[in-house]
Amino acid sequence: MKQVILVTGSSRGIGAATALMASRRGYAVCINYLNDAQAADKLRAQIVAEGGEAIAVQADVSVEADVQRLFETVDEELGPLTALVNNVGVLEQQCRLTEMSVERLQRVFTTNVISYFLCSKEAVKRMSTASGGQGGGIVNLSSGAAKHGAPNVYIDYASSKGAIDVMTLGLSKEVAAEGIRVNCVRPGMIYTDIHASGGDPGRVARLESNVPMLRGGQPEEIAETILWLLSPQSSYVSGAIIDAAGAR
Ligand code: NAP
């Protein structure tokens, strides 16, 4: 059966590493992005040049109409979806709770939580054996912040990731008898551009000596974990939350 994967927020970072690795493992890939069309198209071109199949689709996955258009494009251009990686995530400027505006809280929770619900809903409708689908896999990106709470920097982001842990547990049980496995990866500090969005581009290098392995992680190390959770090698694993954080 053709393997078709959608990775949300995959123009850079962990999403881009996952999309590229998935292609090299035989998936047809939908790259999704919000703003950076150039980066998404560069990745699409690389995959095609390597002999893979890929499309790049602009869509704000926190907006329901965009999500529906995104999934319909996958249906039409790649075929039935077999894997979804809910990867988008945003950080805002580091601050304490007393400085957080309601607009910021809405942005963080809409992007980091609502989008995972909207995309999973579309994926389940297509994959569920109860509605004629072939089954499939969903992997959610949480964060080590869900365990430590990120005090003084972004408790909003940490709380949004806590919601994803719980959503993984609930949805995995809801669809377990319908051929769909739902799992979650909780990365620690990974070398990507997300830290610059929080106003702290050097965060991983500055803090990596606190990690028991004494280093930050690479996006490819998270991609490996995600792809294992989507593979037949993890066929009896669902509702799992895997820490990939250098023993933190
Ligand atoms: P990143 O480098 O900041 O990349 C974010 C990606 O999401 C970009 O491709 C961006 O697209 C896209 N995006 C943002 N909002 C979007 C929206 N509304 N609709 C569609 N795409 C959107 O992030 P990352 O560090 O790779 O993180 C990936 C995931 O891992 C996130 O969920 C993050 O919370 C989680 N995580 C990361 C770390 C870490 O240390 N890096 C640690 C723990 C957990 P454009 O470029 O087009 O704007």
Side-chain angles (χ1 to χ4, degrees), residues 157-184:
Y157 170 84
S159 305
S160 73
K161 293 302 187 179
I164 295 312
D165 289 358
V166 178
M167 183 265 212
T168 302
L169 299 180
L171 183 61
S172 66
K173 291 173 185 162
E174 200 165 299
V175 298
E178 298 171 24
I180 305 172
R181 294 187 297 112
V182 185
N183 289 293
C184 182

Side-chain angles (χ1 to χ4, degrees), residues 8-15 32-37 39 59-62 86-90 111-112 115-116 141-145 157 161 185-195 197 204:
T8 68
S10 46
S11 53
R12 69 182 198 200
I14 292 167
N32 157 248
Y33 65 98
L34 182 61
N35 298 308
D36 197 344
D60 181 342
V61 289
S62 64
N86 281 313
N87 169 75
V88 291
V90 287
T111 304
N112 294 3
S115 77
Y116 283 46
L141 270 290
S142 174
S143 168
Y157 170 84
K161 293 302 187 179
V185 180
R186 257 193 314 225
M189 288 188 297
I190 311 301
Y191 278 98
T192 75
D193 292 335
I194 200 171
H195 308 286
S197 329
V204 181

